[in-house]
Every structure is written in C-alpha cells, then in structure tokens.
Amino acid sequence: MRRTVSLTAVATLATAALALAAPAGQAAATSSHGVTVAHACGAPTKKDQMACNALQVTSGTPMSAHAESDLTAAATPSGYGPVSLQAAYNLPSASGGSGQTVAIVDAYDDPSAESDLAVYRSQYGLSACTTANGCFKKVAQNGGTKYPRGNSGWAEEISLDLDMVSAACPNCKILLVEASSPSMTNLGTAVNTAVSLGAKFVSNSYGGSESSSDATYDSSYFNHPGVAITVSSGDNGYGVEYPAASKYVTAVGGTSLKTASDARGWTDTVWNGAGSGCSTYDAKPTWQKDSGCANRTVADVSAVADPNTGVAVYDTYGQGTGWMVFGGTSASSPLIAATYALAGTPSAGSYPASFPYAHTSSLNDVTSGSNGSCGGSYLCTGTTGYDGPSGLGTPNGTAAFTG
C-alpha cells in the first residue's frame, strides 16, 4: 500500500526523500505538474543501500499521453514509445546496434521480465527479443541462474529499463543482471559480472547517499575502460547521488520532453526532479572543465525523465497493472546506454564518459529550467553550454557518444 505526502516541489526535498521509510515496493507519492507519482522502490534506510530511480504515474494525464503514431494494438498505452523517442533524439535505431549487448543492472528478481518485454516489443512492432533467439539473457549477480527473490518495485524498474533499451536500440541484445539485494556491494558485483559476460554498455538506474567509501567502489566496480557505464543522476532535485558521482561513469540527468514547432520538432527543458551538483568525495575527471566545482560535477548528459512527459512501460509482476507511464532518471540512463550502443563499441582503454565532452555540438543544449536552489548557478539551472541538471545536453544522433 502506498503512503502519500503532499509535495509541491520535488526538487527541494532531496534530504527528506532519502529519509522517508517506505513500504517494500512503493515509496511516498509526490505531485509533479498535474500528475501524481510514486517511487517504485523504497528509499535507502542505511549506508551502502541504493534505491531505484523509477517514478510511476499513479494519477493525472501526462502530456505525453497517446503520443505514438504507429500503435499496433487496439489499446493505446499512454506515454512516449519508440517512435517518439527515436525522433526526439535523432537516433538511427532501425540500422544501428546489431550485435551489441546492453546490460541492465538492478536488484532482486523480476520473474515476468521476459514475458513483459515481449508485450512491449509486440505493441510497437519491434522484433522479438527472447532467450530462445539469443537476444535476451537473465542472470544472477554471479552470472548463474539462481535468481534472487522477487520484488515488485524493482520489477517495475527492470521493466522500465528493458523497455527503454528496446525503444532506443531495437536491434541490441539485452543482458539483465539481478543483484541479490540493493546494496552497493551486490549491485557493483553485478556490474562486474555484466562486463565479464561481454557487455560494453551497462546501465544503472539507482542511487544513494555519497560516502567516504565511494573511491573504493569506484575502483572495485566502475573502472572498466572500454565500457560505457551510465548511471541515473537521481529524482530528488538538486543534490548528488552515488554512483552517478563516480568519475568513471556517464551521469545521466533528466529533462521534460515536449513537441515544438521548430526544425527539430522537440524541445527539452530541465526537469525539476533531476539530480545534480558537486560531489563531496569523487575527484573531477580530466575531461570536465567547469569551474564552479573542484570535484566531480553531476551530470554529463541527459534525456527525458519528467513523469509528466513520461514513457510507456509494460509490467505485470506483483503490483504491476500492465501498461503504465514512468519517469525518473531511471528512464534516461538506459536510453543513453542504448545510444552509446548505437554509436558502436568503445575503443579498448577508452573512457566513454569523456566522449560527449569532445563532441558538444552533437548534443541538444538544454538552456532553461531548474531543479532547486543553488544561488542561481549552473549547478542547478539550465543554461547555454554545460549545466548540472542536463549536463552537456540530450542526444542529437550518436556522434557525441563515439570515441
């Protein structure tokens, strides 16, 4: 059963959100631009524990409702689907990604992951992605098939991740690695397993408080040259989460995505819930040049995350009701991981987090919106060039994600 609280500004409540003790599977609900949302996963209650960054729309009508023009089923899911997302970010989805594997790292088991994915892909006319045809594979954090216990909240996260990879890169293979629990140690072990199984693109849609242990986690789990590792920046507005703060990952912020009457046909503004800021513990990577933060600055790039301009997701496990609309930077992280996959395999020894900094003109600059109060600086305010909530911007094709 959900607990609800009245919130008028998600972005101002990062500390409170992390402190909320929520029932397993659903955390407190918040309101955002006319829709009510619920956190799929309970907030972290102790050090080293992560929460997923998926936000389910529970009431109200998102602006992205009925956005698709090529629906194949009689029932019309609300929220952006593959055609809209590919168009908004100029993705070569029909021709790219063949032979690439995108790994999704989450906690707990979603027993319905493959069957729910099949419904999503069929709805939008995407090719089947199954265990039988070699497109889909699910493993436990050690690479075996002794899966952890099921969890309905994390299952929603898993469905969101699988659907967003499918939306952006229908030709990609998908590897789902399920950690035994949402501890950083177990999730990090799952990241290492994904890499050991050959994935060159690994998405992580979770986060928790920074700690003095982060440098150790960096070297133990995220320092994988030649692998693009994306991490959602958080859903609680201005403030930094780990592992988005890791200097080895691409931290993915969030935007509101709407249609526009211009050449692109779409526009992104900063979503007020996107995480951003200056890390307390992680050193600044050499490719970051912003002057307002001596340490690592979050984020690097961004994509749609506002639940009010949310994405369609299909999930039936536990509390899942079938077609739903989700937002949160849990949507933007797998979208960016899939965009890296469309761009091609990173070169050996490279750090793909640096790629967008060498190709800033190949991104859609996000110049308006805010996710909180930081004295009006770029750390929480959309502005020309780099800013915290949207990073360098959103994808305009794949050029910014190549070495």
Side-chain angles (χ1 to χ4, degrees), residues 340-356:
Y340 270 109
L342 290 169
T345 305
S347 58
S350 67
Y351 283 97
S354 69
F355 295 174

Side-chain angles (χ1 to χ4, degrees), residues 61-68 77-80 257 306-312 325:
T61 303
M63 296 178 65
S64 57
H66 312 308
E68 293 298 77
S78 293
Y80 291 135
L257 175 67
D306 185 352
N308 196 49
T309 63
V311 298
V325 176

Side-chain angles (χ1 to χ4, degrees), residues 235-250:
D235 297 342
N236 297 306
Y238 181 57
V240 176
E241 290 187 356
Y242 189 85
S246 171
K247 62 184 178 180
Y248 297 118
V249 310
T250 300

Side-chain angles (χ1 to χ4, degrees), residues 52-64:
C52 70
N53 284 312
L55 296 175
Q56 180 198 351
V57 174
T58 55
S59 67
T61 303
M63 296 178 65
S64 57

Side-chain angles (χ1 to χ4, degrees), residues 24-25 96 110 127 146 160 168 189 196 233 237 241 247 268 315 343 345:
D110 177 4
S127 60
K146 187 176 180 180
L160 170 58
T189 298
S196 71
S233 71
E241 290 187 356
K247 62 184 178 180
D268 287 283
D315 176 77
T345 305

Side-chain angles (χ1 to χ4, degrees), residues 18-395:
L18 289 174
L20 283 170
Q26 286 289 341
T30 65
S31 59
S32 176
H33 301 295
V35 300
T36 300
V37 299
H39 293 265
C41 303
T45 57
K46 58 184 179 181
K47 181 183 176 182
D48 188 52
Q49 186 176 348
M50 305 288 116
C52 70
N53 284 312
L55 296 175
Q56 180 198 351
V57 174
T58 55
S59 67
T61 303
M63 296 178 65
S64 57
H66 312 308
E68 293 298 77
S69 60
D70 66 339
L71 296 170
T72 58
T76 306
S78 293
Y80 291 135
V83 168
S84 296
L85 295 169
Q86 292 168 21
Y89 298 126
N90 191 26
L91 300 178
S93 303
S95 58
S98 180
Q100 304 289 14
T101 297
V102 179
I104 296 298
V105 170
D106 283 309
Y108 300 121
D109 182 35
D110 177 4
S112 301
E114 184 172 357
S115 59
D116 286 347
L117 176 63
V119 174
Y120 179 89
R121 294 179 70 103
S122 176
Q123 170 72 36
Y124 293 108
L126 307 179
S127 60
C129 187
T130 66
T131 302
N133 69 14
C135 174
F136 177 78
K137 184 175 183 179
K138 182 173 81 169
V139 298
Q141 72 178 45
N142 63 358
T145 56
K146 187 176 180 180
Y147 305 121
R149 66 179 176 86
N151 179 281
S152 58
W154 279 90
E156 290 183 344
E157 174 64 63
I158 289 170
S159 293
L160 170 58
D161 292 344
L162 298 179
D163 292 354
M164 289 306 96
V165 171
S166 297
C169 188
N171 296 325
C172 284
K173 297 180 179 180
I174 304 176
L175 170 64
L176 171 60
V177 187
E178 297 180 332
S180 299
S181 78
S183 72
M184 190 63 258
T185 301
N186 285 331
L187 288 162
T189 298
V191 171
N192 288 345
T193 293
V195 175
S196 71
L197 291 175
K200 298 298 183 183
F201 315 94
V202 184
S203 177
N204 305 268
S205 291
Y206 54 83
S209 299
E210 291 191 284
S211 78
S212 57
S213 301
D214 290 351
T216 300
Y217 297 147
D218 279 354
S219 59
S220 297
Y221 306 127
F222 297 107
N223 186 8
H224 291 288
V227 179
I229 300 176
T230 64
V231 180
S232 57
S233 71
D235 297 342
N236 297 306
Y238 181 57
V240 176
E241 290 187 356
Y242 189 85
S246 171
K247 62 184 178 180
Y248 297 118
V249 310
T250 300
V252 185
T255 68
S256 300
L257 175 67
K258 304 172 186 176
T259 56
S261 55
D262 57 14
R264 179 189 170 198
W266 299 85
T267 183
D268 287 283
T269 57
V270 166
W271 173 48
N272 69 354
S276 73
C278 186
S279 173
T280 301
Y281 299 101
D282 247 85
K284 200 172 200 68
T286 57
W287 47 86
Q288 273 197 327
K289 304 299 183 183
D290 60 298
S291 59
C293 171
N295 287 339
R296 165 72 155 118
T297 313
V298 174
D300 297 306
V301 294
S302 53
V304 62
D306 185 352
N308 196 49
T309 63
V311 298
V313 173
Y314 190 82
D315 176 77
T316 62
Y317 178 67
Q319 63 204 13
T321 57
W323 287 108
M324 297 178 281
V325 176
F326 276 85
T329 50
S330 278
S332 55
S333 177
L335 282 171
I336 295 298
T339 302
Y340 270 109
L342 290 169
T345 305
S347 58
S350 67
Y351 283 97
S354 69
F355 295 174
Y357 290 85
H359 304 282
T360 57
S361 63
S362 296
L363 293 157
N364 302 306
D365 195 8
V366 181
T367 60
S368 62
S370 175
N371 67 348
S373 177
C374 61
S377 86
Y378 72 95
L379 292 175
C380 70
T381 307
T383 188
T384 301
Y386 178 84
D387 61 72
S390 71
L392 297 165
T394 63

